[in-house]
Amino acid sequence: EAAIIRRFLAEKEATIRRSLYQALLRLAYTVDGQRTLLRIWEGRWAAFDLPLSEGDYIDLACEMALRNMPGSDTILTATLVRTQNPDRRRRFEFLLPALSPEQAVRDACFEQLKQPQNRAREPWVASALGYLHHPLRGDASIPYLAPSLDLIEEIQQTGDIFFPAAWLQNTLGSYALPEAATIVRDFLQRRSDLSPNLRNKVLQAADGLFRAEKTGAGEEVDG
């Protein structure tokens, strides 16, 4: 029993450390925080005494790229080179355009996602959308919202049963801008013929956005 308890406590402690690391990854926006991310990537700081996997280093490089940290292009390239798992490497290569600091490259990436043949790896697509619509890119990615919503019926027809929800969540889930809420409302009004199933998925994905709009504007939200 004592051994079981010790193992349970060790696993619980590891889970807490992992949660703290994930919070650091999401919230390190200050200069000091970004330096910490770089030290972790360079192996000069043990991240809460956690062993980092190949996937962890990819996620870390992606977060640094989103922040446009100095040398982030070099970091992405170096991380790609040292990625040994072939499938993980292909996924990383797929995501790189969505991480680019160049608007034109990200625009081209989004245009590629409009084509069904480029959406075959749906989890990869969901991750790319999350990066394209990351809060740090919110203003620049607003133009993607209306076309993304217009694609939702095609997404349902060509993708897995769970893909429409993933597409919508990774498109709408990080926004709190009134302009984004207006785009969603306009879409729902314009597409009154949308199936109840898809309409509910849009409303669910936009729930946080509508709540932010209501809090900011002090007006009642009409779902």
Side-chain angles (χ1 to χ4, degrees):
E1 289 184 0
I4 293 174
I5 292 173
R6 285 196 298 271
R7 185 165 62 250
F8 170 77
L9 292 175
E11 290 173 353
K12 190 173 184 63
E13 183 182 348
T15 300
I16 292 172
R17 294 201 305 271
R18 169 64 63 175
S19 296
L20 290 172
Y21 171 68
Q22 293 296 335
L24 171 66
L25 210 57
R26 293 192 303 270
L27 301 175
Y29 293 126
T30 66
V31 173
D32 284 345
Q34 293 179 20
R35 286 173 179 162
T36 297
L37 295 184
L38 180 59
R39 289 200 300 272
I40 294 172
W41 184 84
E42 292 175 337
R44 296 189 292 115
W45 190 75
F48 301 101
D49 196 27
L50 285 171
L52 297 184
S53 67
E54 216 173 49
D56 288 327
Y57 278 108
I58 290 173
D59 292 342
L60 180 55
C62 291
E63 288 293 332
M64 289 191 283
L66 286 169
R67 289 156 175 75
N68 291 328
M69 289 174 54
S72 58
D73 284 347
T74 301
I75 289 169
L76 288 173
T77 301
T79 304
L80 180 63
V81 168
R82 70 189 192 188
T83 300
Q84 299 298 310
N85 181 279
D87 193 57
R88 195 175 289 123
R89 183 185 180 88
R90 286 191 292 270
R91 175 184 177 273
F92 193 18
E93 289 172 332
F94 182 87
L95 295 176
L96 288 177
L99 294 162
S100 174
E102 301 295 329
Q103 181 72 43
V105 176
R106 299 200 304 274
D107 290 347
C109 174
F110 178 71
E111 289 298 318
Q112 289 291 314
L113 296 182
K114 290 182 179 180
Q115 306 304 317
Q117 65 269 24
N118 297 322
R119 300 195 299 262
R121 296 291 191 109
E122 293 173 358
W124 297 6
V125 173
S127 296
L129 286 171
Y131 289 134
L132 288 173
H133 293 282
H134 190 275
L136 290 174
R137 302 263 174 86
D139 291 336
S141 56
I142 279 282
Y144 307 149
L145 289 183
S148 294
L149 291 168
D150 287 335
L151 279 167
I152 192 57
E153 285 180 312
E154 180 183 315
I155 295 296
Q156 184 182 52
Q157 293 165 5
T158 60
D160 180 82
I161 187 173
F162 299 110
F163 191 39
W167 177 276
L168 290 167
Q169 187 57 46
N170 283 280
T171 296
L172 301 175
S174 64
Y175 283 95
L177 300 171
E179 183 181 354
T182 298
I183 290 170
V184 177
R185 290 184 188 283
D186 287 348
F187 170 77
L188 291 172
Q189 291 174 4
R190 174 166 49 85
R191 290 301 314 274
S192 58
D193 61 329
L194 198 66
S195 72
N197 177 268
L198 283 181
R199 186 178 182 85
N200 287 336
K201 282 182 168 58
V202 173
L203 289 170
Q204 184 177 14
D207 180 65
L209 171 59
F210 288 155
R211 289 176 184 274
E213 180 196 40
K214 181 179 178 180
T215 301
E219 298 177 352
E220 195 67 30
V221 172
D222 178 15

